[in-house]
């Protein structure tokens, strides 16, 4: 594998999940693979899990992680070609990406959607510029439209916590949030779940008008009645996203979409999942996130092994 920008960069999600679970049993077995190799983690936005778990993954592989926060520490980058740079931006991504490639064997990038200009977000300005100008492999640590390391960790978590059933009912439920959030987590979870359609009966539930990009959800069942969607579910994956149609707007803050124990009661003893960070008692009630069925902490732990298996595949191909 060269770059990891989407879950579809994996030859097989199923095989990768198996490999990650095997890796978990002996996390330091590939220490030689990353020896004298550097991964540069570039953050254009905040992070807790991605930042720490990707560093941990690199250390487990014997790599040296170096981290830079562009939001507060880097020069402001210009992305447009041919601009007269006489405004706020100090450096063009053309130079920045080539320079960083001389210091790093792999570059990983977090750059959220701006949620103002749909076309610009869908063009993945930051991620694509690094793929274009960097001479080393690029890993997506949540871009405008995807969070494939999260989706891989989610797939690992489902495999580890699934009941013994032929087919699992996996539900992605929108929940309210005071701020406008990106579509990346929802998109990547949907892509992963749809790719697993032989094993998952995948349902997305959200208020009318909150449809994600239909290209990302082709093959999923959309159910506007949240309680109906929850019936018989094995996994409830919750996430807020802002409107896609009315791009970036918070059109609904309806508290009746919060995940509560009475909704979980209609599931088949479903596990509760969320990528974190989560706003308690807005997105999910304490009684659910603190319940035995909540696997959010185990899910966050799997971020390390998702990143580790991805970095391992990239190192093997250097
Ligand atoms: C981000 C999002 O919704 O994309 C990161 C989630 C991993 N969440 C927030 O900004 C709260
Ligand atoms: N789930 C996730 O990506 O968390 P962070 O934003 O804290 O990295």
């Amino acid at each position: 594998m060269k770059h990891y920008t989407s879950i579809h960069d994996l030859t097989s999600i199923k095989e990768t999940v198996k490999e990650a679970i095997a890796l978990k049993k002996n996390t330091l077995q590939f220490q030689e693979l990353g020896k004298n190799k550097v991964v540069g983690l570039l953050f254009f936005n905040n992070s807790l899990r991605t930042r720490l778990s990707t560093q941990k993954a690199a250390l487990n592989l014997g790599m040296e992680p170096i981290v830079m926060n562009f939001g507060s520490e880097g020069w402001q980058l210009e992305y447009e070609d041919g601009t007269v740079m006489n405004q706020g931006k100090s450096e063009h991504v053309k130079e920045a990406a080539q320079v960083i490639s001389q210091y790093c064997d792999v570059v990983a990038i977090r750059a959220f959607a701006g949620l103002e200009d749909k076309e610009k977000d869908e063009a993945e300005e930051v991620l694509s510029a690094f793929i274009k100008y960097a001479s080393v492999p690029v890993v997506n640590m949540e871009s405008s439209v995807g969070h494939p390391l999260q989706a891989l960790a989610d797939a690992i978590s489902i495999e580890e916590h699934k009941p013994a059933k032929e087919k699992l009912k996996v539900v992605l439920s929108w929940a309210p949030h005071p701020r406008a959030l990106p579509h990346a987590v929802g998109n990547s979870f949907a892509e992963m779940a749809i790719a697993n359609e032989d094993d998952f009966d995948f349902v997305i539930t959200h208020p009318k008008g909150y449809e994600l990009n239909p290209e990302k959800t082709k093959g999923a069942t959309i159910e506007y009645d949240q309680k109906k969607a929850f019936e018989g579910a094995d996994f409830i994956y919750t996430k807020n996203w802002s409107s896609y149609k009315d791009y970036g707007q918070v059109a609904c803050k309806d508290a009746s979409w919060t995940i509560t124990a009475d909704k979980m009661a209609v599931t088949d003893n479903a596990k509760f999942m969320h990528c974190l960070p989560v706003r308690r008692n807005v997105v999910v009630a304490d009684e659910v996130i603190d319940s035995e069925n909540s696997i959010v902490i185990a899910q966050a732990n799997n971020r390390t092994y998702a990143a580790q298996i991805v970095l391992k595949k990239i190192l093997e191909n250097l």
Side-chain angles (χ1 to χ4, degrees):
M1 189 167 64
K2 172 123 204 245
H3 305 296
Y4 184 64
T5 61
S6 123
I7 192 104
H8 299 302
D9 289 328
L10 300 172
T11 317
S12 158
I13 301 174
K14 239 185 189 167
E15 278 309 308
T16 308
V17 165
K18 277 192 202 147
E19 288 164 29
I21 291 172
L23 187 68
K24 261 178 106 165
K25 298 202 176 87
N26 183 1
T27 59
L28 304 179
Q29 61 186 305
F30 299 108
Q31 281 266 320
E32 281 302 308
L33 195 60
K35 209 173 160 196
N36 299 323
K37 297 278 190 285
V38 171
V39 57
L41 310 182
L42 314 182
F43 286 92
F44 293 85
N45 301 97
N46 296 347
S47 168
L48 184 162
R49 279 143 289 271
T50 306
R51 182 175 167 137
L52 298 180
S53 65
T54 313
Q55 288 189 74
K56 176 84 190 285
L59 292 168
N60 282 351
L61 289 165
M63 295 181 94
E64 195 68 47
I66 56 180
V67 185
M68 180 155 173
N69 293 314
F70 270 80
S72 54
E73 297 161 354
W75 300 111
Q76 277 225 39
L77 298 186
E78 175 61 60
Y79 294 91
E80 302 274 336
D81 262 339
T83 353
V84 178
M85 289 172 57
N86 61 359
Q87 300 292 312
K89 313 271 175 73
S90 311
E91 175 160 26
H92 202 283
V93 67
K94 268 188 195 178
E95 285 78 50
Q98 292 181 78
V99 169
I100 292 165
S101 301
Q102 298 178 117
Y103 309 147
C104 303
D105 301 281
V106 181
V107 169
I109 295 163
R110 163 160 287 199
F112 288 172
L115 294 177
E116 276 170 15
D117 182 338
K118 189 190 266 190
E119 254 177 53
K120 199 168 159 178
D121 285 347
E122 296 201 325
E124 293 280 25
E125 190 175 57
V126 181
L127 194 69
S128 333
F130 274 89
I131 288 173
K132 188 167 174 194
Y133 297 117
S135 52
V136 296
V138 174
V139 174
N140 181 351
M141 297 195 295
E142 186 172 340
S143 65
S144 295
V145 302
H147 196 358
L149 285 174
Q150 181 67 52
L152 180 54
D154 298 338
I156 298 168
S157 307
I158 290 176
E159 180 62 27
E160 289 178 330
H161 292 92
K162 69 180 186 190
K165 272 191 189 178
E166 272 290 292
K167 203 148 190 178
L168 302 171
K169 182 170 181 185
V170 176
V171 178
L172 168 62
S173 178
W174 182 92
H177 194 285
R179 292 186 44 219
L181 296 191
H183 308 101
V185 172
N187 284 342
S188 288
F189 186 78
E191 285 180 297
M192 179 278 288
I194 292 163
N196 275 304
E197 64 185 356
D198 291 348
D199 302 321
F200 299 172
D201 169 15
F202 180 51
V203 178
I204 309 178
T205 183
H206 53 65
K208 283 204 170 112
Y210 264 87
E211 287 75 14
L212 288 162
N213 180 350
E215 277 175 32
K216 306 280 180 191
T217 59
K218 212 186 294 165
T221 304
I222 313 284
E223 169 58 68
Y224 298 112
D225 181 337
Q226 192 190 32
K227 211 151 191 175
K228 205 165 153 207
F230 277 36
E231 281 168 11
D234 299 297
F235 289 90
I236 300 295
Y237 193 99
T238 306
K239 182 71 184 82
N240 169 269
W241 57 85
S242 55
S243 172
Y244 177 75
K245 193 171 67 150
D246 202 1
Y247 196 66
Q249 298 304 304
V250 180
C252 175
K253 290 186 186 173
D254 186 355
S256 73
W257 279 82
T258 301
I259 312 304
T260 53
D262 66 313
K263 287 176 196 169
M264 293 300 286
V266 307
T267 69
D268 192 2
N269 198 27
K271 300 288 189 237
F272 173 77
M273 299 177 75
H274 190 283
C275 63
L276 306 182
V278 71
R279 296 209 181 202
R280 282 173 171 259
N281 303 312
V282 177
V283 171
V284 55
D286 284 342
E287 65 199 13
V288 174
I289 192 170
D290 292 332
S291 74
E292 270 187 9
N293 283 24
S294 170
I295 61 167
V296 296
I297 305 301
Q299 205 184 330
N301 188 40
N302 281 331
R303 290 297 306 277
T304 298
Y305 309 104
Q308 196 172 333
I309 202 76
V310 163
L311 288 173
K312 175 177 175 278
K313 286 177 189 293
I314 290 173
L315 287 170
E316 284 166 342
N317 192 45
L318 277 184

